[in-house]
Amino acid sequence: MKLATLPGPTPDGRLVAVEGDRCRPLACGTMLAWLDGGDGTLGAAEPFDIRDVLAPLPRSWQFLDGSSYVNHVELVRRARGAEMPESFWHDPLMYQGLSVFTPPTASIPSKPGWGTDLEAEVAVVTGPVPRGASPAEAAKAIRLICLLNDISLRGLIPAELAKGFGFVHGKPASALSPLALTPDELPGWDGARLHGTLRVDLNGAPFGRAEAGVDMIFDFPHLITHAAATRDLPAGTVIGSGTVSNRDADGGPGRPVAEGGRGYNCIAEQRVVETILHGDAATPFLVPGDRVKIDMQGPDDASLFGIIEQEVIAA
């Protein structure tokens, strides 16, 4: 199924199954109710306009974001002058973020000094996962796949991390793609990774064309297993892949799309590469008026999840 959430009587909206330009409401009412095993009976068809949607899961029980693409972690830590521990290649990083998601067209508030950045990711939504689940059990718990823009405020993060207690101010609400799809809807889903080109445009120009199934050191079952090591995960847990990031074929840190590379899915990564190659970062972080577009297309070039398209505004 292709699922979306339209505005409804509560902040959790009204869950519908999408069929082209029509949709059918689910009897259970909301995405959280459906994930809890609620009645999936479909109602009568009605017109559907993708511009009307909320996030498919406006409020989740928890959002846990991993760092599957260790190339990204290595580059961003290098920008902060932080050493890359060897354990990061074997033990995934993960933080707990805000479990409220904005619509795919929500504005991104920004202030000078915040260092506002995009992070284009793939995310999964789980059913219930028992504490200590194996990767095989975790794989069976994946109910939906979608795209995610995990906003980062790079100017605020270093001071927060220096306290030794994680992100708060540096990680505002993330945006989800208009549609969340069950695994059977995705030919590029292999049970653990989504294979496809994540297309990121910045102000109308290609910025990122990374392959989501490449260089993903920790797949989704392993991220879920990591998250569930000491606690049960309730149905409606969102697990992010972390910023999708590819190395060059020669093992280098990646090149811009304009130079024949796969580009970047966050600005911080391009700035690090610029610093490595030229001694200084040239690409600015997002400012009011900038527009970010995130999409993934299927074999027929049609958008799989709908498009995340956001404009940066003054906070």
Side-chain angles (χ1 to χ4, degrees):
M1 282 195 296
K2 299 179 180 181
L3 296 175
T5 293
L6 296 171
T10 74
D12 295 313
R14 186 169 65 94
L15 183 64
V16 296
V18 178
E19 302 166 354
D21 62 355
R22 309 286 287 176
C23 68
R24 302 173 68 186
L26 276 72
C28 55
T30 67
M31 176 73 80
L32 280 176
W34 179 77
L35 289 164
D36 275 331
D39 188 349
T41 302
L42 298 177
E46 59 187 70
F48 176 73
D49 189 335
I50 202 167
R51 296 172 296 183
D52 295 336
V53 299
L54 305 176
L57 185 57
R59 299 190 295 183
S60 72
W61 292 114
Q62 60 184 340
F63 168 41
L64 300 167
D65 199 30
S67 281
S68 303
Y69 302 86
V70 182
N71 180 55
H72 167 77
V73 181
E74 185 174 35
L75 289 170
V76 172
R77 287 182 67 86
R78 192 185 302 185
R80 295 204 305 263
E83 184 180 349
M84 173 75 171
E86 177 63 24
S87 64
F88 282 18
W89 292 96
H90 313 291
D91 187 26
L93 291 175
M94 184 171 283
Y95 80 90
Q96 184 156 308
L98 181 64
S99 55
V100 176
F101 298 97
T102 71
T105 56
S107 300
I108 301 171
S110 181
K111 283 187 177 182
W114 278 7
T116 305
D117 200 356
L118 67 118
E119 291 196 60
E121 307 185 13
V122 178
V124 299
V125 183
T126 75
V129 182
R131 176 176 55 83
S134 68
E137 291 172 322
K140 292 178 182 177
I142 296 172
R143 300 286 185 266
L144 297 164
I145 300 100
C146 59
L147 303 183
L148 169 76
N149 187 12
D150 174 40
I151 304 298
S152 289
L153 305 180
R154 304 289 185 190
L156 306 184
I157 287 173
E160 285 199 295
L161 292 182
K163 296 178 180 179
F165 215 54
F167 304 117
V168 178
H169 296 158
K171 289 289 187 177
S174 300
L176 294 181
S177 54
L179 305 176
L181 276 59
T182 52
D184 60 288
E185 289 278 354
L186 291 165
W189 178 253
D190 66 6
R193 295 174 173 86
L194 179 62
H195 298 269
T197 303
L198 193 54
R199 304 169 63 89
V200 178
D201 290 353
L202 180 57
N203 296 326
F207 187 76
R209 294 294 186 269
E211 294 296 323
V214 175
D215 297 322
M216 189 180 190
I217 304 302
F218 305 105
D219 61 22
F220 281 109
H222 282 87
L223 290 178
I224 295 168
T225 298
H226 180 83
T230 61
R231 54 179 166 175
D232 297 330
L233 304 183
T237 296
V238 178
I239 305 284
S241 67
T243 304
V244 176
S245 177
N246 293 161
R247 289 181 178 271
D248 269 342
D250 63 3
R255 290 173 293 148
V257 174
E259 296 177 12
R262 291 177 174 171
Y264 313 100
N265 285 330
C266 72
I267 293 171
E269 195 165 306
Q270 178 159 353
R271 288 172 57 88
V272 174
V273 173
E274 290 168 346
T275 301
I276 293 169
L277 297 179
H278 309 297
D280 196 15
T283 303
F285 288 114
L286 299 173
V287 296
D290 285 341
R291 296 191 68 86
V292 174
K293 182 178 178 181
I294 301 172
D295 189 21
M296 182 179 285
Q297 297 175 347
D300 58 357
D301 295 332
S303 179
L304 289 171
F305 302 97
I307 299 171
I308 297 174
E309 191 161 11
Q310 300 179 271
E311 181 176 1
V312 181
I313 63 169

